[in-house]
Amino acid sequence: MGALYAFSGESGNFSILSGENEVIIIDANLPFDSKKDGGVLKEIVFEITKEKGFSGLILLNFCGEREWTGERLFMILKNFSPSWIMLPTPSKKNKSAKRILDSIQKTEFENNRVFRKIPVAANRLFFYPSLEKLSRDFTFFPFSPFLTDKDDFSGEDLVLKITEKKSGRSILAIGNTAERRFKEIGNLYGKKLKSDILLFFADFSSSAPAEEMFDLISPEVALIIAEDGKTSFNLEAMSVYEKTFWFSTASGHSFSTIFNSNEIKTARIKKENFS
């Protein structure tokens, strides 16, 4: 049985995907420095990850402009030591990407080990077989960024489909992707975007994928990872999200979505669930 844990934090962007044998972290904005719930989150994370191999870390974007992002990435790499790091193909002009890569290099130096870094781009067909072998529990298929992208930061975030091998359930994880890129992805891939769970990272709780893109994904459950304190959605976003069951960490809640071949169940995470 697979599980996807979406954690709240002042900036969101931290989830854990757990399979039968291994665990994958999605994004690095670990909300461990919160005095209110940092201790609880630590307990939950270590409860999820115990007795399973730590497979990898997926960075959907380079949010390195936030001064603490590098510190939290360093904490994840040092404490969990993933086998690989998947990330967008960095632009040479992106200063945020440089900060993230510098943080990885710092961890490598201090831990005396080199992480396997996997810069991902869609349309790189020879690359897909290697992605199939990354995990015992999951397969990966990137829709963005494009191999032809140059210095267009609006398309730099990953749009990545993750499928559990055993159940066949799929998760579409979307970074802070521009609306124009959504339309390009929809035109190129169409029904291939269909996924059971949408994991959407939003800088602002008012944002949502374009309606036509959402219809192609057609998720059973949408998990919106957004900033704490931003609890109200605009009418345009609500018209999209209300097409399915949706949950948002903007309310200050964390959620666990448990899935198998027959059903998907999402519930608020409580400390006693992991005691």
Side-chain angles (χ1 to χ4, degrees), residues 122-139:
N123 314 108
R124 189 179 284 171
L125 295 178
F126 69 89
F127 202 51
Y128 293 153
S130 64
L131 294 182
E132 294 280 335
K133 299 175 183 177
L134 272 183
S135 166
R136 292 171 63 188
D137 293 334
F138 303 99
T139 62

Side-chain angles (χ1 to χ4, degrees), residues 215-226:
D215 290 341
L216 287 172
I217 302 167
S218 188
E220 291 186 37
V221 172
L223 293 172
I224 303 121
I225 313 299

Side-chain angles (χ1 to χ4, degrees), residues 4 6 169-170 172 194-200 209 214-215 217-225 233 237-249 255-258 262-268:
L4 177 63
R169 291 290 189 182
S170 55
L172 189 68
K194 174 70 181 77
S195 303
D196 300 297
I197 301 168
L198 172 64
L199 184 65
F200 182 64
F214 195 90
D215 290 341
I217 302 167
S218 188
E220 291 186 37
V221 172
L223 293 172
I224 303 121
I225 313 299
F233 294 86
M238 284 303 301
S239 68
V240 173
Y241 290 134
E242 285 186 341
K243 294 184 175 186
T244 190
F245 293 105
W246 64 273
F247 305 85
S248 174
T249 64
F255 297 96
S256 62
T257 298
I258 312 298
N262 297 317
E263 60 183 352
I264 300 175
K265 291 185 177 181
T266 299
R268 181 181 172 184

Side-chain angles (χ1 to χ4, degrees), residues 171-242:
I171 299 160
L172 189 68
I174 299 178
N176 188 29
T177 304
E179 184 175 345
R180 175 172 59 80
R181 176 49 56 93
F182 280 141
K183 291 181 179 179
E184 292 172 339
I185 293 171
N187 290 335
L188 280 172
Y189 293 101
K191 293 182 179 180
K192 288 184 179 179
L193 288 160
K194 174 70 181 77
S195 303
D196 300 297
I197 301 168
L198 172 64
L199 184 65
F200 182 64
F201 293 86
D203 277 345
F204 305 100
S205 57
S206 59
S207 60
E211 191 165 4
E212 56 268 30
M213 176 79 165
F214 195 90
D215 290 341
L216 287 172
I217 302 167
S218 188
E220 291 186 37
V221 172
L223 293 172
I224 303 121
I225 313 299
E227 293 179 271
D228 271 355
K230 295 183 180 293
T231 57
S232 59
F233 294 86
N234 65 21
L235 293 177
E236 185 178 350
M238 284 303 301
S239 68
V240 173
Y241 290 134
E242 285 186 341

Side-chain angles (χ1 to χ4, degrees), residues 52-69:
K52 292 185 180 182
F54 213 96
S55 182
L57 166 65
I58 298 172
L59 297 177
L60 294 177
N61 54 35
F62 298 113
C63 289
E65 71 276 2
R66 299 176 178 135
E67 59 184 10
W68 35 256
T69 301

Side-chain angles (χ1 to χ4, degrees), residues 6-273:
F7 293 101
S8 66
E10 72 277 7
S11 61
N13 291 48
F14 180 72
S15 297
I16 292 180
L17 178 59
S18 178
E20 281 195 318
N21 305 289
E22 57 196 7
V23 171
I24 294 170
I25 280 182
I26 302 176
D27 269 346
N29 290 331
L30 194 68
F32 273 10
D33 58 352
S34 168
K35 294 180 180 179
K36 179 180 178 182
D37 60 4
V40 175
L41 277 172
K42 283 183 181 179
E43 291 178 21
I44 291 173
V45 170
F46 282 102
E47 183 67 24
I48 293 169
T49 58
K50 73 178 183 180
E51 298 179 359
K52 292 185 180 182
F54 213 96
S55 182
L57 166 65
I58 298 172
L59 297 177
L60 294 177
N61 54 35
F62 298 113
C63 289
E65 71 276 2
R66 299 176 178 135
E67 59 184 10
W68 35 256
T69 301
E71 296 174 6
R72 293 183 180 179
L73 175 58
F74 176 81
M75 185 190 305
I76 288 174
L77 295 177
K78 187 172 183 179
N79 287 333
F80 300 112
S81 195
S83 300
W84 47 263
I85 303 171
M86 186 184 297
L87 66 171
T89 302
S91 163
K92 294 180 180 179
K93 294 183 179 180
N94 190 335
K95 295 180 180 179
S96 296
K98 184 179 185 304
R99 293 190 189 102
I100 293 298
L101 295 173
D102 286 348
S103 183
I104 294 173
Q105 188 175 39
K106 175 186 174 184
T107 316
E108 290 177 329
F109 178 78
E110 295 196 7
N111 286 12
N112 193 29
R113 65 159 295 185
V114 176
F115 296 105
R116 181 185 177 190
K117 292 173 281 293
I118 305 167
V120 174
N123 314 108
R124 189 179 284 171
L125 295 178
F126 69 89
F127 202 51
Y128 293 153
S130 64
L131 294 182
E132 294 280 335
K133 299 175 183 177
L134 272 183
S135 166
R136 292 171 63 188
D137 293 334
F138 303 99
T139 62
F140 308 92
F141 191 97
F143 295 108
S144 184
F146 299 157
L147 187 60
T148 52
D149 288 339
K150 293 183 179 179
D151 297 317
D152 181 7
F153 296 166
S154 66
E156 196 167 65
D157 288 20
L158 282 185
V159 176
L160 183 71
K161 188 171 183 175
I162 307 167
T163 303
E164 187 184 41
K165 295 177 181 179
K166 183 175 182 179
S167 68
R169 291 290 189 182
S170 55
I171 299 160
L172 189 68
I174 299 178
N176 188 29
T177 304
E179 184 175 345
R180 175 172 59 80
R181 176 49 56 93
F182 280 141
K183 291 181 179 179
E184 292 172 339
I185 293 171
N187 290 335
L188 280 172
Y189 293 101
K191 293 182 179 180
K192 288 184 179 179
L193 288 160
K194 174 70 181 77
S195 303
D196 300 297
I197 301 168
L198 172 64
L199 184 65
F200 182 64
F201 293 86
D203 277 345
F204 305 100
S205 57
S206 59
S207 60
E211 191 165 4
E212 56 268 30
M213 176 79 165
F214 195 90
D215 290 341
L216 287 172
I217 302 167
S218 188
E220 291 186 37
V221 172
L223 293 172
I224 303 121
I225 313 299
E227 293 179 271
D228 271 355
K230 295 183 180 293
T231 57
S232 59
F233 294 86
N234 65 21
L235 293 177
E236 185 178 350
M238 284 303 301
S239 68
V240 173
Y241 290 134
E242 285 186 341
K243 294 184 175 186
T244 190
F245 293 105
W246 64 273
F247 305 85
S248 174
T249 64
S251 58
H253 298 158
S254 301
F255 297 96
S256 62
T257 298
I258 312 298
F259 54 89
N260 56 37
S261 58
N262 297 317
E263 60 183 352
I264 300 175
K265 291 185 177 181
T266 299
R268 181 181 172 184
I269 291 176
K270 295 181 181 180
K271 182 181 178 183
E272 54 265 29
N273 294 146

